[in-house]
Amino acid sequence: MRIPPLGIHVDPDTPPGRKASEITTSPPVNGEKSIFREQIGGYSALASPLRREVGNRSMARSFSVDDTDLEDAKASKDRDRPSHFLRLPNIQNHSHFLRLPDIQNQSLLSGLAYCIASCSMILVNKFVLSGYGFNAGIFLMLYQNIVSVTIVSTLSLSGVIRTEPLTWRLIKVWLPVNIIFVGMLTTSMFSLKYINVAMLTILKNVANVLTASGETYFFKKQHDSQVWISLMLMIISAVAGGITDLSFHAVGYTWQIINCFLTASYSLTLRHVMDSAKEATRSGNLNELSMVLLNNVLSLPLGIILVLGFNEVEYLLET
C-alpha cells in the first residue's frame, strides 16, 4: 500500500539526525515568540533559493515589527511612569527651602535699637556738656527736638510713615504729658553735666522702681515676687554705686533724683491719658510715631520759654 506524501519539504542543508517535527512544530509560549518560531520553522522548510530569499525578507520584517513593538511598549511605559521620575522637582512646592528666615521677635530688635540710640545720645550729650563745658543744656534739648520734628514730619509728608494730624482737642489732652516730658529731658541734661555716664545709668533704674510702685498704687496692677526682687537689686546697685562714687556731686544727684520722679510720672500719666488721647484723634488710634511728633512739637514753645527764662540766649551769643 502506497502512503501519500505528507507535504513536508525537507531542506537538503538540514543536518542529519534532526527531526522534521522539531523544525516544523514549536509550542507557542506567547504571541510574539510563536510568530518568531513560525518564521524560523518556515525558513528551515524552504528548499529553493527563491523561497529562502522570501523567508529572509519576511524574517527582516518580523524583526523590525518586533523592534517597533518593543520601542512602543517602552514609550508607553515611560508615559505611564509617574511624573516625578521624569520631571525636576517643582520649586514652588519647595519654596520653603528658599524662603528667608522671618523675624520672630521684632520687640527684641526694637529694644536693641532703643539701647543703641539711648546710649549714643547719652554719650554725645555728656561729651558736649562736660567735654566742651557747654552751659546751655536746655538749648541742646531744644535743638534735638527740632531735629526730631523735622525728620518725622518729612517722613510723614513723603508718605513713608503715617501720623495723626494735630488737633486742638488732642493738644489739650496731651499737654500735661508734654509738660512732664520737657521737665524729664531738662533735668536729664542738668544731671548729666555733673554725673558720669556709669552712675547716671545706674540711677536711672530707680525710675523703674517708682513706676512699678505707681502702677500698683494707682492702677492696682500686681507684680510677682521676681519683679520686686529685681527692683530691689536695682536700688541696692544705685546706693552702692553712689557711696563708692569718687566724683560725687550733690547738684547732679539732686537733678537726677528729680529726673527719676519725672520719668515715673511721665509713664504713669501717659497710661492715664492714653484712652482719652485715642478718642481725640480722627482714626481713634495713636501710634508711637504720632506720639513722638506730638511730644516734640509741643516741646518747642516750652523749650523756647525755658531758654529765655534761664538766660541761655546771652550765653549762646557770647559762646
Side-chain angles (χ1 to χ4, degrees):
M1 184 177 178
R2 191 174 179 179
I3 300 174
L6 299 176
I8 299 174
H9 302 280
V10 180
D11 191 355
D13 296 333
T14 303
R18 185 173 181 181
K19 297 181 181 180
S21 62
E22 295 178 0
I23 299 173
T24 58
T25 59
S26 56
V29 178
N30 51 43
E32 295 178 357
K33 291 185 178 181
S34 63
I35 295 174
F36 178 76
R37 291 182 180 180
E38 286 175 4
Q39 295 292 341
I40 295 297
Y43 173 75
S44 302
L46 295 178
S48 64
L50 180 58
R51 292 182 179 178
R52 186 175 298 176
E53 180 66 22
V54 174
N56 290 335
R57 292 182 180 179
S58 64
M59 279 198 302
R61 286 196 301 268
S62 65
F63 286 153
S64 63
V65 171
D66 292 340
D67 294 338
T68 304
D69 293 340
L70 291 175
E71 291 177 359
D72 293 340
K74 184 177 180 181
S76 64
K77 288 182 180 179
D78 292 339
R79 288 194 298 267
D80 296 338
R81 185 177 297 177
S83 59
H84 63 272
F85 288 102
L86 301 176
R87 299 178 183 175
L88 293 175
N90 191 358
I91 296 178
Q92 294 180 354
N93 295 335
H94 301 280
S95 59
H96 58 277
F97 292 109
L98 305 176
R99 187 181 304 165
L100 295 176
D102 296 331
I103 299 177
Q104 299 294 335
N105 195 350
Q106 294 184 358
S107 61
L108 179 61
L109 294 180
S110 301
L112 181 62
Y114 173 79
C115 291
I116 295 175
S118 179
C119 293
S120 300
M121 182 65 70
I122 291 175
L123 293 175
V124 169
N125 289 340
K126 180 63 177 178
F127 184 71
V128 172
L129 295 174
S130 298
Y132 284 96
F134 190 71
N135 294 324
I138 301 177
F139 176 79
L140 182 60
M141 180 268 298
L142 180 64
Y143 167 75
Q144 293 172 355
N145 291 355
I146 293 175
V147 173
S148 300
V149 171
T150 304
I151 294 175
V152 176
S153 299
T154 303
L155 294 176
S156 179
L157 293 175
S158 61
V160 178
I161 61 175
R162 185 184 63 84
T163 57
E164 293 293 331
L166 301 182
T167 60
W168 284 110
R169 182 184 176 188
L170 180 60
I171 292 174
K172 291 178 182 179
V173 173
W174 201 262
L175 189 59
V177 179
N178 188 255
I179 293 174
I180 300 175
F181 174 75
V182 174
M184 180 180 64
L185 295 181
T186 304
T187 54
S188 178
M189 289 291 184
F190 289 163
S191 63
L192 187 60
K193 183 179 180 180
Y194 302 100
I195 303 177
N196 58 64
V197 175
M199 279 306 305
L200 180 69
T201 305
I202 295 175
L203 293 175
K204 278 182 174 296
N205 293 327
V206 178
N208 298 329
V209 180
L210 297 176
T211 302
S213 301
E215 288 180 340
T216 303
Y217 181 78
F218 293 106
F219 302 105
K220 309 302 179 182
K221 182 178 179 180
Q222 300 298 325
H223 300 284
D224 55 13
S225 58
Q226 295 179 352
V227 173
W228 290 112
I229 292 175
S230 300
L231 295 176
M232 290 300 105
L233 291 176
M234 291 180 183
I235 294 178
I236 294 174
S237 65
V239 173
I243 294 175
T244 58
D245 186 13
L246 299 179
S247 59
F248 178 83
H249 200 287
V251 176
Y253 272 77
T254 302
W255 283 118
Q256 184 55 43
I257 293 174
I258 297 174
N259 176 263
C260 290
F261 279 96
L262 289 176
T263 302
S265 300
Y266 174 77
S267 300
L268 297 174
T269 307
L270 182 64
R271 180 175 178 179
H272 176 69
V273 304
M274 182 57 68
D275 294 335
S276 300
K278 290 181 179 180
E279 295 177 357
T281 59
R282 295 179 181 178
S283 63
N285 189 18
L286 189 64
N287 56 26
E288 291 81 0
L289 295 173
S290 299
M291 287 190 289
V292 170
L293 181 61
L294 186 61
N295 267 330
N296 286 277
V297 167
L298 295 181
S299 68
L300 298 183
L302 294 177
I304 294 174
I305 294 174
L306 291 175
V307 168
L308 296 175
F310 281 84
N311 199 21
E312 290 186 354
V313 177
E314 183 179 357
Y315 169 77
L316 293 173
L317 295 177
E318 295 176 356
T319 301

